[in-house]
Amino acid sequence: MWSEKTTFHAIPNIVANEQMPLKLMWSICLIASVSYCCRILTFSIIDYYQYKVLTKFEIVAESASNFPTITICNLNPYDLSKNRSLGELSRRNLIGDGTVVDPAELFALGKQRFLSLADASALARLKFTMSDMLVSCYFNETACNRSDFRLIENEAYGNCYAFNSNMNEESRLTSEVRRTNKYKASLRLELFVGNNESMSPMAMRSGAIMFIKNHTTGSVVGETGLELKPRTQTEVMLNRMVIKKLPMPFNDCVDEPVDSSFVSYTQELTMRTFGYYDQEICRQLFYQRLLVAQCNCYDSRFVFMFDTSAKLYSCTQLLLPNACYKQMRSRFLANTLNSSNECPSGCESINYKPLLHYSEYPSDFYKQILVKNGEVVDKLAATRDKKELKKISELDFRSSLLMVDVYFESDSYTKITEVPETSFSQLLANLGGQFGLFLG
């Protein structure tokens, strides 16, 4: 009989025993075991479908690392020293009419007047080029030049230039000698950012802004960059963190999507336009869509990729930015636009945390070397006779130049990886073990 051959211990004892107390005892044991087994199995299945994860932290050492993409923009987009008439127009706009006393509002009025009076085609020719800005460039102690930078046009900053941005090619690697000398494994740039005659009414500040992105995701110009001060050497020490999260259903993140897996129009637009998915770009596009739909303008500081037959203006260049734009911008910067549904986070990301150190640049001795440098003389005395270089004030000289060093703080990085707390094979093993323990 089946009851005599089964491995369920309670059933043969119930059938074989003739004494009712023993039959009752074994029956109670069987019911209790089955009930508790069902309870444990139910909890195991529920726990598995909660898709819990375990997080592993590792410190990974490398002898050489992939260098990120470094994008540099001049905070002053136009070099007015190249055009005397536009320079004079800019200086005339410094004079107020007495009706506006707030400096920020006066600046906005001057910028608006300048843009309305200046010839757009002439102004476009005055954008800073890498030839204008680059004084020296070294990577891993090897000289680099303007051909190592890719042009990225941006309405707010004019011409921006990205180093190590060729995504289809092999990334530049830091040198293995980083352990003994950080500067041998850094990107070092000396930049000319314009003198007093270069300044245009398009920027409140002088200097440059730098954006750091992973090599595989290209260059993104936004507003959350690192500002580089004139008269200063800025050391940027990078700590790298690699995060690999599990995709849905474990997290609300997405792997590199294919055509059939887009969760929103903005995500699809990001992927089709740039060839890869980046949450920050997607958030900027979503923000621009809302601006166009609700405020009838766009923000020139961020990515804008929409074709429209309607006449649109840059919100940042309107005479008085409207309340709609101000509110939308505040919500975007505070990350309260509810863009998570339109722009889910990527499952894999590389984050760079910069640590900044500043020192005065150039030193008195190094200044004498720069004064004898022909290219520096050409840049500083663009509208003067070179013999008049000595007439340039000490402040003007130093305010025209800056230096930046970018390097990894150490030869290791933090790797954060998620793994399922319970895999399907572990679930099956757990279920089998519970059956064996309570009913075997």
Side-chain angles (χ1 to χ4, degrees):
M1 294 178 59
W2 173 82
S3 60
E4 296 176 351
K5 297 179 180 180
T6 182
T7 58
F8 282 76
H9 294 310
I11 294 178
N13 285 285
I14 293 172
V15 174
N17 278 291
E18 297 180 356
Q19 298 181 17
M20 286 303 297
L22 291 177
K23 286 179 178 290
L24 181 61
M25 182 190 70
W26 281 108
S27 297
I28 292 173
C29 290
L30 177 62
I31 293 172
S33 296
V34 170
S35 300
Y36 193 71
C37 181
C38 290
R39 181 175 183 271
I40 295 297
L41 295 179
T42 301
F43 285 158
S44 296
I45 294 172
I46 291 174
D47 189 62
Y48 172 77
Y49 281 103
Q50 288 180 343
Y51 300 110
K52 297 179 180 179
V53 300
L54 298 175
T55 303
K56 298 195 303 181
F57 288 83
E58 302 175 79
I59 303 297
V60 182
E62 290 183 321
S63 60
S65 306
N66 288 314
F67 202 72
T69 295
I70 306 295
T71 304
I72 299 284
C73 308
N74 197 322
L75 288 174
N76 173 35
Y78 304 112
D79 182 3
L80 297 190
S81 67
K82 298 177 181 178
N83 189 310
R84 289 182 180 273
S85 61
L86 287 178
E88 289 296 326
L89 177 62
S90 173
R91 282 184 282 276
R92 286 199 300 272
N93 277 291
L94 293 175
I95 304 173
D97 56 8
T99 60
V100 179
V101 294
D102 181 76
E105 192 171 339
L106 186 61
F107 173 79
L109 284 169
K111 181 169 68 172
Q112 182 67 19
R113 288 172 184 162
F114 177 76
L115 290 174
S116 63
L117 296 173
D119 179 70
S121 59
L123 201 57
R125 292 192 294 271
L126 300 184
K127 292 181 180 179
F128 275 92
T129 66
M130 204 59 192
S131 298
D132 296 330
M133 294 195 298
L134 191 62
V135 175
S136 71
C137 173
Y138 287 90
F139 180 74
N140 286 350
E141 282 199 323
T142 301
C144 42
N145 54 52
R146 61 180 180 270
S147 65
D148 294 301
F149 293 83
R150 182 170 65 89
L151 171 64
I152 299 173
E153 295 184 294
N154 180 269
E155 186 170 337
Y157 300 116
N159 291 338
C160 299
Y161 297 91
F163 179 83
N164 194 37
S165 66
N166 298 319
M167 293 185 298
N168 297 325
E169 298 179 7
E170 186 176 351
S171 170
R172 294 174 185 261
L173 296 176
T174 60
S175 171
E176 294 187 8
V177 298
R178 178 179 59 235
R179 292 192 180 98
T180 57
N181 189 338
K182 62 187 178 184
Y183 293 116
K184 290 184 178 180
S186 70
L187 172 65
R188 168 172 285 189
L189 299 174
E190 289 180 285
L191 299 173
F192 170 76
V193 291
N195 53 27
N196 284 339
E197 296 187 5
S198 304
M199 293 298 107
S200 74
M202 302 301 295
M204 283 185 170
R205 308 176 307 281
S206 61
I209 187 168
M210 181 173 67
F211 304 93
I212 304 172
K213 293 289 288 184
N214 182 39
H215 164 75
T216 58
T217 58
S219 308
V220 179
V221 175
E223 197 173 68
T224 55
L226 303 176
E227 290 200 8
L228 308 177
K229 305 174 184 178
R231 297 180 287 159
T232 304
Q233 178 193 12
T234 305
E235 287 191 20
V236 183
M237 296 190 297
L238 298 178
N239 287 297
R240 188 168 36 136
M241 180 180 294
V242 178
I243 302 174
K244 294 185 177 182
K245 297 191 291 186
L246 292 172
M248 295 181 182
F250 295 94
N251 291 291
D252 292 331
C253 68
V254 293
D255 281 321
E256 196 73 18
V258 295
D259 289 351
S260 59
S261 63
F262 294 116
V263 299
S264 70
Y265 169 74
T266 314
Q267 183 194 4
E268 180 180 0
L269 179 65
T270 304
M271 184 66 188
R272 295 194 188 282
T273 303
F274 294 91
Y276 60 89
Y277 178 71
D278 183 88
Q279 186 186 32
E280 179 58 28
I281 295 178
C282 183
R283 285 184 65 247
Q284 292 183 24
L285 290 178
F286 181 65
Y287 164 61
Q288 299 281 27
R289 288 180 60 201
L290 293 180
L291 277 178
V292 171
Q294 300 182 25
C295 308
N296 199 33
C297 64
Y298 64 94
D299 194 332
S300 61
R301 293 182 179 91
F302 299 101
V303 177
F304 182 74
M305 295 298 299
F306 298 98
D307 293 326
T308 177
S309 56
K311 180 65 175 177
L312 291 177
Y313 298 93
S314 169
C315 304
T316 57
Q317 294 183 3
L318 293 174
L319 185 60
L320 293 174
N322 58 51
C324 174
Y325 162 67
K326 291 181 179 179
Q327 181 183 21
M328 197 72 70
R329 175 179 165 77
S330 297
R331 291 178 61 194
F332 172 73
L333 295 178
N335 201 21
T336 58
L337 284 179
N338 298 322
S339 60
S340 56
N341 293 332
E342 284 279 329
C343 302
S345 62
C347 292
E348 293 191 18
S349 62
I350 299 180
N351 301 323
Y352 296 96
K353 182 180 179 181
L355 182 63
L356 306 180
H357 292 285
Y358 301 99
S359 57
E360 187 175 340
Y361 164 87
S363 67
D364 291 337
F365 179 80
Y366 189 56
K367 177 197 168 186
Q368 303 306 316
I369 297 176
L370 290 174
V371 168
K372 295 178 182 179
N373 183 296
E375 289 191 11
V376 175
V377 171
D378 289 340
K379 292 175 177 26
L380 288 171
T383 59
R384 302 178 175 93
D385 188 295
K386 294 180 183 179
K387 294 179 180 179
E388 297 183 11
L389 183 61
K390 293 181 180 180
K391 298 181 182 179
I392 298 176
S393 69
E394 178 81 8
L395 181 61
D396 192 13
F397 183 93
R398 294 182 183 274
S399 298
S400 302
L401 301 168
L402 63 84
M403 176 186 283
V404 59
D405 279 292
V406 185
Y407 57 90
F408 289 117
E409 186 176 15
S410 69
D411 58 356
S412 61
Y413 65 90
T414 304
K415 184 178 181 180
I416 302 176
T417 309
E418 289 184 348
V419 294
E421 184 179 88
T422 305
S423 65
F424 186 70
S425 59
Q426 289 175 319
L427 174 65
L428 293 180
N430 189 24
L431 296 180
Q434 299 298 337
F435 273 119
L437 176 63
F438 291 102
L439 302 177

